């Protein structure tokens, strides 16, 4: 199984177009030790020929352009693409807006939760995905399905939050979140010999999630923030990570601590927000993350399982 990180940044990307935080200013200026990153997506293939996208980011067109394997092949007619399926982990803009770049005759199967598919169905702009070419299929929780030959996906609910634009303030602290609004994916080959987990948005590692991940070969996990209050401390937003549905890396409730006893062989952070100090390769936070056995993904990172 081949896994390519198409985009390793959270919503907004790195640098974010309207942001002059220290990280964004420095990466924009080309300072050493910081590399630009596009928004959150992976591509998976059993053989390098057919590819499944896990999330479709607003940067998808650029990501396709930078990934030779995703280019159309000669001899397949005037319009073709090796992308055979797209699987969504939630309805966030950074994970669904790229679907709009898959109009113009792309043919693929689209998988998401019932609620996310309902959001897409309620937004007629997504009708640019021609129903004759794009079939929309609901993911059942905890059931593995072959989304494309050689790639099976099992979606499961993780602690998290409904998409920002769907928040219902009147519903109290859950903002109307339902089980399955934040999904993790277990991706396997059909015999189930090779498996990895992709969880780009997660508010906490509860017992159920810990049990699922224990002993895994590879987990690509929510690396949005280093500390829960970093957006507030940097004057970027009034929200904590918890309020946004994202666990932080550091601290007693953080992902570094939560994974310490899980025996996950390879742990890679994805979906980093531009405020995150680990995006500076010379920072103490970057060093601390690496010392804890974690990697910080860059765009175009490739992993063979
Ligand atoms: C998130 O990961 O929290 C969302 O992508 C936020 C957003 O929609 O801007
Ligand atoms: Mn996001
Ligand atoms: Zn910034």
């Amino acid at each position: 199984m081949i896994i390519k990180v198409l985009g390793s940044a959270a919503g907004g990307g790195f640098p974010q177009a309207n942001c002059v935080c220290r990280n964004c200013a420095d990466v924009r200026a080309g300072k050493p030790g910081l590399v630009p990153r596009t928004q959150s997506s992976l591509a998976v293939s059993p053989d390098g020929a057919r590819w499944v996208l896990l999330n479709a980011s607003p940067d998808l067109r650029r990501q396709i352009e930078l990934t030779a394997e995703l280019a159309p092949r000669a001899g397949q007619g005037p319009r073709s693409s090796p992308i055979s399926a797209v699987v969504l982990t939630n309805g966030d803009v950074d994970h669904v807006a790229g679907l709009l770049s898959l109009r113009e005759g792309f043919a693929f199967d689209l998988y998401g939760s019932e609620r996310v598919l309902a959001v897409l169905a309620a937004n007629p702009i997504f009708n640019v995905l021609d129903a004759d070419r794009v079939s929309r299929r609901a993911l059942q929780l905890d059931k593995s399905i072959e989304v494309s030959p050689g790639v099976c996906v099992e979606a499961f609910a993780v602690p998290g939050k409904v998409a920002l634009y769907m928040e219902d303030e009147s519903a109290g602290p859950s903002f109307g979140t339902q089980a399955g609004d934040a999904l993790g994916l277990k991706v396997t080959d059909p015999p189930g010999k090779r498996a990895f987990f992709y969880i780009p948005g997660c508010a906490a590692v509860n017992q159920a999630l810990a049990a699922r991940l224990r002993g895994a070969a590879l987990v690509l996990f929510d690396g949005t923030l280093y500390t829960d209050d970093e957006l507030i401390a940097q004057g970027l937003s009034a929200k904590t990570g918890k309020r946004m549905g994202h666990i932080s890396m550091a601290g007693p409730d953080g992902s570094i601590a939560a994974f310490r006893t899980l025996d996950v062989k390879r742990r890679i952070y994805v979906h980093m927000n531009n405020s995150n100090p680990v995006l500076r390769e010379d920072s103490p936070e970057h060093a601390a993350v690496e010392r804890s056995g974690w990697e910080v993904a860059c765009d175009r990172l490739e992993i063979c399982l």
Side-chain angles (χ1 to χ4, degrees), residues 9-11 40 90 92-95 200 224 246 271:
S40 179
N90 59 25
D92 284 353
V93 172
D94 55 349
H95 288 160
T224 310
H246 295 292
H271 192 277

Side-chain angles (χ1 to χ4, degrees), residues 27-298:
V27 75
R28 199 176 282 122
K31 271 212 178 164
L34 300 94
V35 290
R37 285 168 164 86
T38 62
Q39 293 166 85
S40 179
S41 173
L42 300 188
V44 185
S45 174
D47 53 11
R50 263 182 223 248
W51 290 84
V52 175
L53 300 185
L54 307 183
N55 290 323
S57 102
D59 299 318
L60 181 56
R61 182 186 168 280
R62 177 87 183 125
Q63 292 166 343
I64 291 173
E65 216 170 64
L66 292 172
T67 308
E69 294 90 332
L70 297 182
R73 309 273 147 79
Q76 310 246 313
R79 295 273 198 278
S80 74
S81 166
I83 298 169
S84 56
V86 179
V87 184
L88 305 173
T89 60
N90 59 25
D92 284 353
V93 172
D94 55 349
H95 288 160
V96 304
L99 292 172
L100 298 175
S101 300
L102 296 177
R103 62 197 198 282
E104 295 153 345
F106 278 78
F108 61 97
D109 294 329
L110 174 60
Y111 294 86
S113 69
E114 307 248 13
R115 291 242 294 169
V116 168
L117 293 186
V119 168
L120 301 181
N123 281 272
I125 193 169
F126 288 102
N127 292 343
V128 294
L129 302 178
D130 184 347
D132 291 340
R133 293 195 177 88
V134 180
S135 61
R136 304 181 186 197
R137 302 182 182 178
L139 290 166
Q140 306 300 316
L141 292 185
D142 307 313
K143 274 225 173 80
S144 180
I145 43 161
E146 193 163 9
V147 296
S148 174
V151 180
C152 298
V153 170
E154 177 184 345
F156 52 91
V158 298
K161 189 184 64 60
V162 69
L164 183 59
Y165 59 86
M166 294 279 287
E167 285 186 2
D168 176 3
E169 298 276 350
S170 70
S174 75
F175 300 101
T177 300
Q178 296 180 14
D181 282 344
L183 292 177
L185 304 178
K186 181 180 185 182
V187 183
T188 60
D189 58 2
K193 282 214 183 99
R194 296 181 179 80
F196 75 94
F197 290 88
Y198 173 54
I199 310 172
C202 184
V205 180
N206 59 13
Q207 279 194 358
L209 182 56
R212 217 183 260 279
L213 300 182
R214 197 174 300 282
L218 170 66
V219 178
L220 296 116
F221 193 76
D222 186 341
T224 310
L225 303 174
Y226 189 74
T227 43
D228 191 51
D229 66 350
E230 93 194 20
L231 292 174
I232 301 169
Q234 295 182 38
L236 299 172
S237 161
K239 288 184 184 172
T240 60
K242 286 199 182 83
R243 168 65 185 82
M244 295 190 299
H246 295 292
I247 189 174
S248 50
M249 295 177 175
D253 300 333
S255 52
I256 294 174
F259 274 70
R260 206 158 267 146
T261 56
L262 293 187
D263 188 31
V264 173
K265 310 291 179 292
R266 195 166 175 194
R267 284 156 273 166
I268 304 178
Y269 281 125
V270 292
H271 192 277
M272 272 69 69
N273 193 57
N274 52 75
S275 55
N276 193 321
V278 304
L279 293 173
R280 314 180 75 84
E281 285 159 21
D282 60 359
S283 66
E285 293 86 355
H286 188 97
V289 158
E290 288 197 333
R291 256 199 322 275
S292 313
W294 283 84
E295 296 167 56
V296 178
C298 287

